[in-house]
Amino acid sequence: MRIRWEAIGLALAMAVGTALAGWWTVPLVAMLWGLRRPPGLALVSGLVAWSALLAWQATRGPVRELADRLAGVLSIPWWAILAAGPLFAGLMAWAGAELGAAVARRRAAAG
Amino acid sequence: MTPKLRLALSALLLLLLGAASARRLGPAPRLGPFLDPVHGVWAVAAATAPRPGGQVDLPGLTAPVRVVLDDRAVPHLFATTELDAYRVLGWLVARDRLFQLELQTRATAGTLSELLGPAVLAADRASRALGLADAAERKFAELDPASLGARAITAYAEGVNAYIGGLRSRDFPLEYRLLDARPQRWQPQHSLYLFGRMGQTLAGFDPGLVREEVAALVGAAAAEAIVAVNSPIQEPIQPSRHGGPREEIRVLPPPGPPDTARARALAALRAVEEAARGPRDVGALGSNNWAVAPVRTAAGHALLAGDPHLQLTLPSIWYEVHLSVPGVLDVAGVALPGAPGVTIGFNRDLAWTFTNTGADVLDFYREEVDDAAAPRRYRVDGTWRDLRLKEEVYRGPGGRALAVDTLRFTHRGPMRRVGGSWVSRRWTVLEASAENDVFLQAARATTAEEWLRAMEAYVVPTQNGLVADRNGTIAIRSSGWYPLRPGDGRGDRIFDGTSSAVDWQGALPVARYPGAVRPSQGFLASANQQPVDPRDNPAYLGADWPAPWRAIHINRMLRAEPAATPDRMRAMHTDPGSARADALVPPFLAAAAAQERSGAADETLRRAARLLGEWDRQYDPANRRAILFELSVEEAFRRALDELILPDSGRHNPSYRNSQLLYVLTRDSASAWWDDRRTPSHRESRDEVLAASLRAALDTALARYGDPDGPGWAWGTVWPTDIWHLARMPALSVRGVPVRGGPETIAPAGRRGTHGASWRMVVELGPEVRAWGTYPGGQSGNPLSPFYADRIPQWAAGGSDEILFPRDPGDIPPGRILDTITFQPRERPR
């Protein structure tokens, strides 16, 4: 249960960071997370954060129609363009958290 | 996975994704900024949602401006001063058409590479070599800053830039997202770039080049008849004494021996020209306008119909708007995005519209230079003159230099190398002019006479300006600068530039422009045909005129209409009848009958003749016979005019495919042109060639489209129109639109045509002016907007909306209001 709440909290931090400052906050927040917590969770949180933001955009405008148009322009399926963002955030988050974890391990080994 | 491996993998991933987010990899946008759900491309969806306009603070306004958007997304601007209206118009156009503004400016300036990359470098080089941007900058520098035109484009630019300045990156239009670019600021002179581009589109053809190319293929005598100064069928714009079509058909001289090397050299010059503006497809081009005097209308009020044809794009080339400035201006119609004011439209007293005259306003000169590789001087009258040199640097999206050219200018205009020689041009598009001022003044006229006076200062591109007013006056004049040339006055040749004696000597006086005011016949029409019968006015205005089939068809309908109504005028816009088919179907059927009589007919020919005979000569989308005729005409061109097929390409230059030529030939059964050069032992006759063409057309149609009564032969399926997005992105385009029209009908269409009716308008000049209009697209340039392509179905079906023309905001029914925006004055930041 605690892990679930932590994941939600991390996703929230990533979503807020993205909204306030941009995409690059995702790996940064994840790296900070990785310093203290297990990095695997960051992947899920990244996915969830950007999926939630996309869902929020869908309440404000025709996201699905835009996905169709983009799919036509980029010659890929509409679902792939929709999935690309959350996947990007998940991978960036995981990579950032892993780096954070590595730093933590090095600190622990040194200290 | 070991921690070390995990670390290596995550570092690599972070590096890759970070790099792909920090800079563009090829044409792809930066990954992170693009995919970001809040600031990236998905923000376009939120920006599409209707947002109540509310209030906008706009620097430079002198008083509040109220804008009401009606349910067609047309803004009605209620301003206190004219400049305030243009400032707000700039803001609105930027909001709705920002990418279009930028793309058309860059296309003219030759800076598309900076936005789209090296793939368009060749187009940029071709554009800069034309000198359009150079001329626009010069015209801007010469503008009187106190003139209405100069102040209007400045106010407009301020409006555009106020909108751009208020944009957050999340508000950038979709195209900028895909290109990972930011909108550039709009300069006042960019409005003049736009007029230069229109000049390029409408006045960028030199009959001299066409004629010389034809002469190289078939000799000078035949070229004189093929690229004729006077149309063999006369149905002029200025009503002639003849009172109907007049034929002056002469025997086409037989083809002479080709000079292939010369034809290749001329084709190279044409290719250089076409690199900047594309080839000319005479079958698909064509604008129309007509007006009817009160005496011939049901309600006793003058009627005017406008039907300018241009390239069809999404977003459209036009933006519909209504500008109201009490006591100064109250005008509605369409504006060119990038230019303040209404270009075609109506006010409370009159309506006006244009078709292209197609006058010869472009000449080429072969120059003698001091150094064939890198000239610095050219010789005129035995004296060397310095060339003006201008270095042009082409840059890519990151600002990296892609190429450098040196442009060279003689006193006539830009000079370029074609093959082994240097050719300069003189072109009215590059001469001093102030089209914007003229259009703004004309929109304020209250009578047809005033409108014609305002148009006297108009230079280029020459336009058949049609006007009708509430007093019942209808008038037309082919306005613009017609160069006066020495000698016989003709410009349909390439000149020897070593003598100044060939230079232009001024312009035709306005009094000699073709035109008519209050014609006794009670109607006027133009459709790009030769403006005046040479028996009435022999002045050289141009050559190689489009066939007058559309004009004949329009005039035929107007002559038969004693009590015209707005609805009838609106229906005429997409009348599927064809004077061309009326003229050319009978020779095909007669040829088949002649073959039958001589015993040369076979079952295929009989079937083809029967199917063609069933055709009602209408180009409806459901019609299943029109395609057989079009294929027959194509075959006949190919077989009879094979001497005009270009060396190396195996195809005709579309400019020669003037159907008048085929019509002229059908009148001469024994012409040497009918002979097929590939059969030296047999001399083919007209009937043999036409019958063979018909037979071959049926074979082709059966192979391509199947059963003649099946859906495959439906005109709307085989001959649709494509409306491409400006950047030719298929997903943002609407393609395969079935239309009511075919080659050289009132709504002409080429196969998979990209040109067509860009704005259809009918205005009734009664006590209260009423108007109807539509265009193929929508007001918004946002592909997600419901107003991006909403008018296309209506346009394709030949419909149009009644245009709201309120005197004040309260006149607009509340149910038809989409949004209201109030623009408030704001101090400019210091």
Side-chain angles (χ1 to χ4, degrees):
Chain A
M1 182 58 87
R2 184 183 164 202
I3 284 183
R4 194 181 298 166
W5 281 112
E6 282 178 354
I8 290 172
L10 178 59
L12 199 62
M14 288 174 177
V16 170
T18 301
L20 293 181
W23 64 274
W24 52 269
T25 57
V26 170
L28 197 70
V29 169
M31 198 162 81
L32 295 174
W33 166 269
L35 289 172
R36 294 179 179 278
R37 307 296 302 159
L41 213 56
L43 190 148
V44 179
S45 294
L47 277 170
V48 169
W50 277 32
S51 298
L53 287 173
L54 258 184
W56 169 70
Q57 283 287 20
T59 65
R60 304 170 69 221
V63 160
R64 175 58 211 279
E65 194 188 338
L66 176 56
D68 276 338
R69 298 277 189 176
L70 290 172
V73 172
L74 303 172
S75 302
I76 54 174
W78 64 268
W79 53 264
I81 186 74
L82 268 178
L87 195 63
F88 171 85
L91 290 174
M92 286 294 261
W94 174 76
E98 282 292 348
L99 276 184
V103 172
R105 280 197 299 275
R106 182 159 295 190
R107 269 194 201 158
Chain B
M1 206 186 301
T2 64
K4 274 192 177 173
L5 188 59
R6 283 216 307 269
L7 177 61
L9 200 60
S10 61
L12 184 67
L13 195 62
L14 212 52
L15 199 69
L16 286 176
L17 294 178
S21 299
R23 57 179 303 167
R24 296 176 66 172
L25 301 177
R30 290 171 301 147
L31 211 51
F34 183 75
L35 295 173
D36 184 326
V38 179
H39 310 277
V41 69
W42 301 108
V44 173
T48 301
R51 283 175 295 179
Q55 187 170 306
V56 174
D57 293 337
L58 191 60
L61 283 184
T62 58
V65 176
R66 188 155 183 218
V67 176
V68 181
L69 277 101
D70 68 24
D71 53 0
R72 297 169 62 239
V74 176
H76 302 263
L77 275 75
F78 298 91
T80 308
T81 72
E82 198 171 356
L83 293 183
D84 280 355
Y86 299 139
R87 188 171 277 108
V88 170
L89 178 61
W91 192 97
L92 289 166
V93 170
R95 186 189 70 163
D96 290 337
R97 303 289 185 86
L98 191 56
F99 182 70
Q100 180 180 19
L101 288 179
E102 173 143 6
L103 201 71
Q104 69 192 16
T105 302
R106 287 189 177 279
T108 311
T111 59
L112 284 173
S113 306
E114 294 172 14
L115 194 67
L116 304 173
V120 292
L121 179 61
D124 276 351
R125 287 184 131 150
S127 290
R128 292 203 206 182
L130 285 178
L132 288 171
D134 183 78
E137 294 289 344
R138 190 167 23 86
K139 290 181 192 193
F140 181 68
E142 290 167 359
L143 267 187
D144 174 4
S147 67
L148 176 61
R151 287 183 298 142
I153 60 174
T154 303
Y156 188 88
E158 287 171 2
V160 172
N161 289 330
Y163 178 77
I164 294 173
L167 275 182
R168 299 163 300 178
S169 63
R170 69 173 67 169
D171 300 324
F172 290 174
L174 177 61
E175 293 89 343
Y176 288 100
R177 301 294 186 161
L178 293 166
L179 296 168
D180 206 357
R182 302 179 66 84
Q184 70 170 356
R185 283 179 67 78
W186 180 264
Q187 306 295 334
Q189 58 266 42
H190 289 166
S191 293
L192 306 187
Y193 282 36
L194 174 63
F195 286 111
R197 189 161 177 74
M198 289 303 286
Q200 178 193 359
T201 302
L202 298 170
F205 301 95
D206 177 32
L209 177 56
V210 180
R211 188 166 167 275
E212 294 230 1
E213 203 175 339
V214 171
L217 292 170
V218 294
E224 182 75 16
I226 291 170
V227 188
V229 170
N230 295 314
S231 286
I233 311 166
Q234 286 292 326
E235 177 76 323
I237 294 169
Q238 176 179 308
S240 69
R241 286 167 291 178
H242 197 74
R246 178 179 71 82
E247 291 189 358
E248 192 168 312
I249 292 175
R250 299 201 175 98
V251 171
L252 192 62
D259 178 347
T260 308
R262 185 166 156 68
R264 283 201 177 100
L266 289 158
L269 176 55
R270 183 169 47 76
V272 166
E273 290 298 300
E274 290 175 354
R277 55 133 169 86
R280 179 192 192 198
D281 182 354
V282 293
L285 291 175
S287 301
N288 313 295
N289 60 29
W290 61 91
V292 184
V295 69
R296 295 181 70 90
T297 64
H301 311 311
L303 288 168
L304 176 139
D307 189 23
H309 289 230
L310 289 163
Q311 190 173 12
L312 303 180
T313 57
L314 284 172
S316 164
I317 200 161
W318 297 113
Y319 184 76
E320 199 179 331
V321 68
H322 168 208
L323 305 171
S324 173
V325 182
V328 181
L329 188 70
D330 197 358
V331 59
V334 284
L336 291 162
V342 169
T343 307
I344 294 177
F346 53 94
N347 60 30
R348 296 283 168 201
D349 299 299
L350 57 80
W352 74 94
T353 183
F354 300 102
T355 61
N356 194 35
T357 305
D360 181 3
V361 297
L362 165 62
D363 286 340
F364 290 106
Y365 303 82
R366 287 194 186 85
E367 304 288 359
E368 183 185 343
V369 296
D370 61 344
D371 177 353
R376 304 187 72 83
R377 295 186 300 164
Y378 67 112
R379 198 200 300 258
V380 181
D381 299 335
T383 306
W384 288 103
R385 296 187 187 181
D386 287 337
L387 289 162
R388 178 164 73 90
L389 305 183
K390 190 176 177 212
E391 194 164 272
E392 296 283 337
V393 182
Y394 304 86
R395 299 192 182 278
R400 181 173 59 92
L402 299 175
V404 179
D405 282 341
T406 301
L407 300 188
R408 295 171 166 83
F409 297 83
T410 70
H411 69 286
R412 298 174 177 118
M415 182 178 84
R416 72 205 311 183
R417 185 176 190 170
V418 181
S421 54
W422 288 85
V423 178
S424 74
R425 67 162 63 211
R426 185 152 186 203
W427 192 18
T428 56
V429 174
L430 306 179
E431 308 281 325
S433 63
E435 284 71 38
N436 191 47
D437 232 337
V438 172
F439 286 132
L440 295 178
Q441 297 293 352
R444 295 146 68 122
T446 57
T447 64
E449 287 81 2
E450 266 184 47
W451 189 89
L452 290 172
R453 271 198 298 281
M455 287 297 293
E456 287 178 3
Y458 181 78
V459 173
V460 71
T462 47
Q463 294 288 292
N464 307 312
L466 178 70
V467 61
D469 69 21
R470 283 199 304 134
N471 301 326
T473 299
I474 61 170
I476 196 164
R477 193 169 63 205
S478 305
S479 293
W481 194 21
Y482 300 89
L484 287 177
R485 302 171 176 94
D488 62 6
R490 287 172 54 171
D492 55 337
R493 67 195 60 163
I494 296 177
F495 294 90
D496 175 6
T498 59
S499 168
S500 64
V502 299
D503 282 340
W504 293 355
Q505 298 175 332
L508 195 72
V510 174
R512 292 184 64 198
Y513 288 1
V517 179
R518 288 185 285 274
S520 58
Q521 66 183 23
F523 62 88
L524 288 165
S526 81
N528 313 113
Q529 76 273 40
Q530 187 171 356
V532 61
D533 189 320
R535 285 183 179 176
D536 295 334
N537 180 351
Y540 174 82
L541 304 176
D544 198 23
W545 303 99
W549 305 124
R550 284 177 287 118
I552 289 171
H553 192 63
I554 293 166
N555 284 334
R556 191 186 288 163
M557 286 192 283
L558 292 175
R559 283 189 190 102
E561 184 61 75
T565 63
D567 285 348
R568 178 72 190 115
M569 302 288 101
R570 291 163 69 199
M572 279 176 63
H573 271 137
T574 49
D575 187 280
S578 164
R580 169 175 168 272
D582 291 342
L584 289 174
V585 166
F588 279 103
L589 295 178
Q595 292 294 92
E596 185 69 61
R597 284 194 299 276
S598 68
D602 59 12
E603 191 47 45
T604 305
L605 179 60
R606 287 189 198 101
R607 188 181 182 198
R610 194 182 69 248
L611 291 170
L612 185 62
E614 289 170 3
W615 187 34
D616 58 5
R617 300 176 196 170
Q618 305 281 304
Y619 290 83
D620 281 311
N623 195 290
R624 290 191 165 90
R625 295 293 175 265
I627 184 59
L628 178 62
F629 172 66
E630 289 307 325
L631 292 174
S632 301
V633 169
E634 275 180 19
E635 280 288 340
F637 260 115
R638 198 172 58 76
R639 289 162 188 258
L641 302 168
D642 54 332
E643 291 84 355
L644 290 175
I645 289 175
L646 299 168
D648 308 327
S649 78
R651 300 172 65 177
H652 287 109
N653 175 346
S655 293
Y656 316 151
R657 293 173 55 88
N658 191 324
S659 53
Q660 282 181 112
L661 185 56
L662 192 59
Y663 179 69
V664 167
L665 269 182
T666 62
R667 306 293 288 272
D668 182 2
S669 62
S671 171
W673 287 85
W674 294 115
D675 185 33
D676 185 343
R677 290 177 299 175
R678 292 166 302 181
T679 56
S681 60
H682 177 64
R683 184 179 169 119
E684 284 80 6
S685 70
R686 172 192 62 192
D687 292 343
E688 280 177 276
V689 172
L690 291 180
S693 299
L694 186 53
R695 195 185 287 115
L698 178 60
D699 286 340
T700 303
L702 290 172
R704 284 187 195 164
Y705 311 121
D707 176 14
D709 293 316
W713 279 50
W715 181 249
T717 308
V718 298
W719 211 278
T721 285
D722 293 337
I723 306 176
W724 282 92
H725 178 265
L726 283 169
R728 288 190 77 84
M729 294 190 227
L732 308 184
S733 309
V734 176
R735 294 183 293 163
V737 181
V739 290
R740 286 165 59 86
E744 300 184 78
T745 61
I746 291 181
R751 184 180 292 180
R752 302 302 308 193
T754 54
H755 288 72
S758 63
W759 167 242
R760 293 188 183 124
M761 176 183 81
V762 168
V763 186
E764 184 182 48
L765 283 308
E768 283 294 323
V769 174
R770 296 179 69 202
W772 296 259
T774 196
Y775 64 74
Q779 289 286 88
S780 174
N782 179 351
L784 298 180
S785 165
F787 297 104
Y788 177 65
D790 56 310
R791 300 183 183 188
I792 289 177
Q794 176 194 58
W795 171 86
S800 53
D801 291 317
E802 181 157 7
I803 296 171
L804 287 178
F805 194 34
R807 288 183 185 274
D808 61 62
D811 288 348
I812 303 176
R816 294 199 60 183
I817 294 176
L818 190 72
D819 196 9
T820 302
I821 312 172
T822 303
F823 289 83
Q824 294 285 357
R826 193 186 78 192
E827 285 297 309
R828 283 196 176 89
R830 290 178 188 274

